[in-house]
Amino acid sequence: MDDPVERALERANERLVAAAEDRVNPAAVDAALERARTAIASLAQASAELQEGLPTAIQDGLKEHFRPSARHLAEVRGLMNQVLKRLERLEGDLLAERHARVDDLGLLVDLIASGWQAVNERLAKIEETLDQPRLRSVS
C-alpha cells in the first residue's frame, strides 16, 4: 500500500518531467508571434475601415430611419399653418361681427333717443296748448 503523500509526490514529479519535456520550441513561438502580428494587422485594417466608413453609415441609417418622421413632421407643420390661418380668419370674422354689433347698438341708441325726443316735442306742444287760455266763442 502506498502512502498518499508518496503518491502525491510521484504525481508532482511526473508533471515536472512532462513539463520539462514539453518545453516550448522557439520556432513554434516565432510562428505563433507571426500569426499574432498578422491577425493584429488585419484587425487594425478592419478597424481603420470601420472608423472611416462607420460615421457615414450611421448618418445614412439615421436619415433613412427618420425620413418618415421628417415627412410626418412636415405634414404636421403644414396642418398647423392651416389651423393658424383658419383661426386668424375666424378672429377677423368675429372682430368684424363685433364691430357690426356695436354699430347696430349705436344706431339703436340713436333711434331710441330721436324717438324720445319726438315724444318730448309732442308733449311740449300738448302742454303749450293746455296752458293757453281757450277762447270761447260768444254765442
Side-chain angles (χ1 to χ4, degrees), residues 64-114:
E64 188 65 31
H65 180 72
F66 286 108
R67 187 169 290 140
S69 297
R71 217 174 305 126
H72 292 146
L73 185 61
E75 288 175 13
V76 167
R77 217 179 264 143
L79 292 173
M80 284 300 297
N81 286 335
Q82 287 180 4
V83 166
L84 288 174
K85 287 177 186 175
R86 289 179 183 174
L87 283 174
E88 287 172 357
R89 191 179 71 231
L90 282 174
E91 184 181 21
D93 291 349
L94 285 174
L95 191 59
E97 187 70 25
R98 176 195 271 164
H99 289 304
R101 294 304 130 239
V102 169
D103 291 344
D104 290 347
L105 183 61
L107 182 61
L108 185 61
V109 167
D110 288 344
L111 285 174
I112 291 172
S114 67

Side-chain angles (χ1 to χ4, degrees), residues 50-62:
L50 280 175
Q51 191 174 10
E52 183 179 312
L54 193 60
T56 306
I58 288 173
Q59 287 177 351
D60 292 344
L62 286 174

Side-chain angles (χ1 to χ4, degrees), residues 109-131:
V109 167
D110 288 344
L111 285 174
I112 291 172
S114 67
W116 277 110
Q117 187 177 5
V119 167
N120 281 338
E121 289 172 3
R122 280 187 182 168
L123 283 174
K125 284 181 185 179
I126 292 172
E127 287 174 353
E128 260 180 49
T129 34
L130 287 177
D131 286 342

Side-chain angles (χ1 to χ4, degrees), residues 9-28:
L9 284 174
E10 279 180 34
R11 278 189 301 202
N13 285 331
E14 288 173 5
R15 286 185 185 162
L16 285 173
V17 169
E21 290 175 357
D22 273 347
R23 289 210 174 170
V24 180
N25 184 0

Side-chain angles (χ1 to χ4, degrees), residues 29-39:
V29 170
D30 288 341
L33 284 175
E34 188 59 34
R35 284 193 307 268
R37 284 186 187 114
T38 304

Side-chain angles (χ1 to χ4, degrees), residues 38-55:
T38 304
I40 288 173
S42 173
L43 183 62
Q45 182 181 0
S47 174
E49 289 172 2
L50 280 175
Q51 191 174 10
E52 183 179 312
L54 193 60

